[in-house]
Amino acid sequence: MALQLPLVVTARVDLLLVLVALLAFWTRMRHLAHPNAVVFDEVYYGQFVSLYMKRLFFIDDSGPPLGHMILALGAYLGGFDGNFTWNRIGAEYPCGVSVWSLRAVPAACGALCVPLGYCVTLELGFGHVSALGAALLLLLDNSLIVQSRLMLLECVLIFFILSSFLAYLRFHRAAGSWPIRYSWLLLSGTSCAATIGVKYMGVFSYLLLLVVAFVHCWKLIGNTQVSGVSVFVECVCRGVCLLVLPVLLYVLCFYVHLTLLHRSGPHDQLMTPAFQASLEGGLSRITEGQPLEVAYGSQVTLRSSTSQPIPCWLHSHKANYPIRYDSGRGSSHQQQVTCYAFKDVNNWWIVKSAARADLAVGRPPRAVRHGDVVQLLHGMTSRLLNSHDVAAPVSPHAQEVSCYIDFNVSMPTQNLWKVDIVNREDDSEVWKTIVSEVRLVHVNTSAVLKLSGLSLPDWAAGQMEVVAEKVKGHGSGATWTVEEHRYGTSEEQKDREAELQSPTYMDVSRKISLWSKFLEVQWRMLTVKQEDSEHKYSSAPSEWITMETNIAYWLHPSTNAQIHLIGNPVSWGVANLSLLAYHIMAAIYLLRRRRGIKDLPDVAWERFVSVGVMCVGGWLLNFVPFVLMDKRLFLYHYLPALVFLHLLSAALLEHVHTHVLSKDTHRRVLLACAFVTWVCVFLSYRAFSPLTFGSPELSANQLRALKWRSSWDILYRRR
């Protein structure tokens, strides 16, 4: 058959869908690089992005790695190399960091949630006007906009939730050829895997989708018009795509995660020695064959137990503190002691008995125990670790730590340190490599050797400050762990220096499978939990519904420009009313149907039930579990549940218009009220947009006027 020209392609374009998509991208992507500073939880997620860029292994006990990998992808495409210190909220991004690329992927996902909401409403069997209404509620919700425009994960999670439901509904309603139908089912299973892979709270929506799929399968089994073979194929395909595929993709997510992070990182100590041995520079490759018990004459490196996410080791070198600091304060001019973030021969110290001059381990070795008083001799310079009543360089409230040099002045040596094993089981416990967390208490002053967490000036090459400070309890940065360890054999300085510079480890050929690594990482994620501390902006689930709470994400350091996580009060109120109205209507319908009165045709009743199962069920499954949780919660945890209510609001409006109101006058009044409500939603969005986008700056009086709830924490400066 001859090819006929011209070739003609006909396409149907939903202009409303295109319009809401364009508006969504405009609200989410416009001026995305503002503010050019770390905003709220960007300080948390940014650390993991940097570790991905440097291929350093880590574990995040709050959720799986897919979300972090998605954020890291945006950073990678923007040329981010990971060299930024995520140490505080409000820190300015340097010129070399593309803020736009860091935030672009969450913003794109947040923008796509709006057209997805439009399409899901259509697939539930409602009209284009209802779909437009749902899209506008999502579009003009200030909280969803804020969460989309920052390097955060909630809108990425919502994107995959809506994608999974849309794809499944398309599969369920599709009447076309089987490749197209099952492509939608595969997409739904893939989105389900991504939903769980971004955050574990996505499992609630996944369970809802499984319930919906099971109900559909049960109805299909009871349909005698469909052959048994077809029913079997349909059920098996649903099981494979919605159960097996998500599990495989979830494991694949960890496979990619572990393949990318092949270098030793900040969380190695949580893993088994075999796992650590599989990482480049892993701890077990260094410590293989080392003695377990620290003895007098042991050569050790001391790692700060709290130097996270970048480790550092007690260090000294042939350089003295300046006679006077930049502030004008005087120093001891003794040899510098710091905490150094790299492996170095100057990290080695010799554990020496205060009563003996021996620097080599005796035969048999004499173990160091809890409560012993020792001296620490710096291996390369042969000077003793010392502290005295001189203010530290950067932390003047604490004592300076140095290696003692006898300048023949009235500054006697004070170099005795008491070994305090914090995690001991009894008071005679031996100091052990890797296992023991030790405080070194200065005998003369009772101050504890600790990492201050601050960087020293250029005269110390920016290394971390080590001080001696009187602290209660264990104190932050006050414990040390012996990492590398060997029994010293040399008494002479030259022989000892050669010994210190020789390798302390042998190569380890043992490897473990990726499956074993996956199981170990998964177990650690589920069992190793950080303690939840109180937070100024943590809140209870009951406060989310009533909008009693907000979160101040960012405040300009000198003006009133600021960003807050605050919902659109009008649309949130409509969502709550819709939830209440659905329950009332459902109760009335059920009671009347029990009495044999059917107010709705079967098709309309099925649609009403379907929207309830998905929207009300989605809200319940994404809200009620947080009521039962004993953990620190924030307002943004409510956003996935809220999205389901926005879809419910538009669907319920059409239901009331079509099936509840019979008179044209009543319907016109309902449409007029709906129009006024949408205008109010827009005006509310406009009113709070300065707190959504961080601009324009408002005066103190304008900010005070936006404090609609007395419990809201809106900040302003009086001028």
Side-chain angles (χ1 to χ4, degrees), residues 7 125 155 232 256 301 307 358 493 622 703:
L7 297 176
C155 284
F232 176 78
V256 176
T301 62
S307 55
D358 298 341
Q493 175 67 16
N622 283 280
L703 290 170

Side-chain angles (χ1 to χ4, degrees), residues 56-100:
L56 300 179
F57 173 75
F58 70 88
I59 289 179
D60 178 19
D61 62 5
S62 68
L66 180 61
H68 302 316
M69 287 193 286
I70 290 173
L71 297 180
L73 175 62
Y76 174 77
L77 295 176
F80 182 56
D81 59 5
N83 290 321
F84 178 72
T85 303
W86 308 85
N87 56 358
R88 64 181 178 88
I89 298 172
E92 291 286 328
Y93 287 111
C95 297
V97 175
S98 174
V99 183
W100 191 92

Side-chain angles (χ1 to χ4, degrees), residues 234-402:
E234 286 278 336
C235 293
V236 169
C237 288
R238 282 176 168 86
V240 170
C241 292
L242 299 181
L243 291 174
V244 179
L245 180 62
V247 171
L248 295 177
L249 293 178
Y250 180 78
V251 175
L252 177 63
C253 169
F254 277 88
Y255 172 82
V256 176
H257 172 74
L258 294 170
T259 302
L260 289 174
L261 306 184
H262 56 84
R263 294 175 182 164
S264 174
H267 297 154
D268 292 11
Q269 68 273 16
L270 299 175
M271 313 309 292
T272 62
F275 190 103
Q276 295 180 52
S278 68
L279 301 172
E280 292 182 13
L283 185 59
S284 67
R285 291 183 180 271
I286 297 171
T287 60
E288 180 76 13
Q290 290 186 164
L292 175 63
E293 297 183 350
V294 177
Y296 290 103
S298 285
Q299 299 170 355
V300 300
T301 62
L302 291 166
R303 173 173 166 169
S304 173
S305 300
T306 54
S307 55
Q308 304 294 349
I310 306 300
C312 73
W313 292 264
L314 189 66
H315 175 93
S316 187
H317 44 246
K318 292 182 179 179
N320 296 354
Y321 290 112
I323 296 176
R324 290 197 176 275
Y325 302 125
D326 294 339
S327 62
R329 291 186 293 109
S331 79
S332 66
H333 198 46
Q334 300 280 326
Q335 182 172 299
Q336 297 173 15
V337 172
T338 66
C339 202
Y340 191 45
F342 301 93
K343 297 286 186 182
D344 188 87
V345 69
N346 283 308
N347 297 346
W348 284 94
W349 300 81
I350 299 172
V351 181
K352 179 182 175 297
S353 170
R356 302 173 63 174
D358 298 341
L359 296 179
V361 175
R363 292 290 181 267
R366 190 159 60 99
V368 180
R369 299 181 180 275
H370 169 75
D372 286 359
V373 175
V374 301
Q375 293 174 316
L376 291 174
L377 183 80
H378 187 242
M380 296 302 293
T381 61
S382 295
R383 293 195 171 116
L384 292 167
L385 186 70
N386 187 79
S387 187
H388 33 227
D389 190 18
V390 175
V394 184
S395 306
H397 62 280
Q399 295 174 194
E400 177 191 271
V401 175
S402 63

